[in-house]
Amino acid sequence: MKHGKKYVESAKLVDRTKFYETQEAFDLCIKTSKAKFDETVEVNVKLGVDGRHADQQVRGAIVLPNGTGKDVKVLVICKSEKEEIAKNAGADFVGADDMIAKIQQENWMDFDVLITTPDMMGMVGRLGRILGPRGLMPNPKAGTVTPDIEKAVKEAKAGKIEYRLDKTNIIHCPIGKASFGVEKLSENFDTLIGAIIKAKPAAAKGQYIRSCVISSTMGPGIKLNPLKVGATEQQ
């Protein structure tokens, strides 16, 4: 793969054979963020589990202490009596049948999070084929299927993220913007890793965190020592 000039320059700053300490890694990640826009910082964690087995799934949601730096658009599908609650909590779009039809007929996807109530899942479930592949299908484990619409909307707006295994047993999560600085990114990182460790399945054997790499949108990967990542929580 051919990389651009800025990437090549940034890559020279990273020792690919080295495991970096958290603070040093984020400092380097910020230095290698050379795009003209405020790059997103992402964490990629490979776990020692087999996600093909139900008892080894790792999935959940957390509110990052410093948010994600992204203006999250929230859609709430609920019955009319809860629409005002959703709007007052900050939802960008609120509706029921009309929103479902808009997604089905217009392939409308101008939102980042879909929140719904348990009594609406029968209808929202029809959108599975459309929303599922895009990671937008609401789920109780992610807190997006809940009777407490107000709390769910406020958390989504505050920087709540969902973490889940992909087919290769890796969790990919954004934890903020390069402009956040080392301290805020480290706090968000520690919160995410702590949640992943607490979600460790009882069936998981051997080393749980196999590898951990951080990178900015356009920057190179920076490796952290998997044995030290979340060491306090793992003890």
Side-chain angles (χ1 to χ4, degrees):
M1 182 183 294
K2 188 174 181 179
H3 293 289
K5 183 179 177 181
K6 289 183 179 179
Y7 179 92
V8 172
E9 290 176 355
S10 294
K12 290 178 182 178
L13 301 174
V14 180
D15 183 349
R16 292 184 177 275
T17 66
K18 178 180 177 180
F19 287 124
Y20 290 87
E21 298 296 325
T22 304
Q23 298 284 320
E24 186 183 9
F26 281 112
D27 183 54
L28 189 55
C29 187
I30 293 168
K31 287 178 180 177
T32 56
S33 303
K34 297 184 177 181
K36 293 182 180 179
F37 60 92
D38 192 4
E39 296 183 46
T40 295
V41 175
E42 185 175 271
V43 176
N44 302 282
V45 186
K46 185 172 180 63
L47 300 181
V49 297
D50 188 345
R52 292 174 299 177
H53 301 289
D55 62 351
Q56 293 189 49
Q57 272 294 323
V58 179
R59 181 176 186 175
I62 51 163
V63 177
L64 297 176
N66 300 299
T68 62
K70 181 180 179 180
D71 182 17
V72 180
K73 291 184 180 180
V74 178
L75 163 63
V76 174
I77 293 180
C78 61
K79 291 187 176 178
S80 57
E81 59 265 26
K82 290 202 172 185
E83 287 188 0
E84 200 62 33
I85 294 173
K87 291 175 183 176
N88 291 338
D92 299 274
F93 311 101
V94 181
D97 294 355
D98 54 334
M99 287 298 176
I100 292 173
K102 189 176 179 69
I103 293 170
Q104 287 179 320
Q105 297 169 15
E106 302 175 24
N107 201 32
W108 177 72
M109 293 287 157
D110 190 24
F111 56 91
D112 303 298
V113 178
L114 195 167
I115 295 169
T116 190
T117 49
D119 58 0
M120 292 296 289
M121 271 307 290
M123 297 174 65
V124 175
R126 302 172 193 166
L127 303 174
R129 290 184 179 180
I130 302 172
L131 301 178
R134 294 173 172 82
L136 292 170
M137 192 65 186
N139 185 285
K141 290 184 179 179
T144 46
V145 178
T146 173
D148 194 344
I149 291 294
E150 181 179 15
K151 179 183 177 183
V153 172
K154 287 182 176 179
E155 286 184 343
K157 285 289 187 179
K160 187 174 186 177
I161 60 168
E162 182 181 1
Y163 59 88
R164 61 186 298 183
L165 289 175
D166 67 8
K167 293 180 180 179
T168 59
N169 300 314
I170 297 175
I171 289 175
H172 310 269
C173 271
I175 57 164
K177 298 289 185 178
S179 62
F180 277 22
V182 173
E183 186 176 343
K184 288 185 176 181
L185 287 172
S186 296
E187 287 176 357
N188 281 357
F189 174 77
D190 290 342
T191 299
L192 171 63
I193 293 299
I196 291 173
I197 290 171
K198 287 178 182 176
K200 180 180 179 180
K205 304 297 180 185
Q207 186 177 333
Y208 182 49
I209 295 181
R210 297 286 177 85
S211 69
C212 182
V213 178
I214 65 169
S215 64
S216 60
T217 306
M218 306 296 288
I222 301 165
K223 295 188 291 186
L224 283 75
N225 190 335
L227 296 176
K228 291 187 178 180
V229 170
T232 303
E233 289 89 347
Q234 293 189 71
Q235 290 175 357

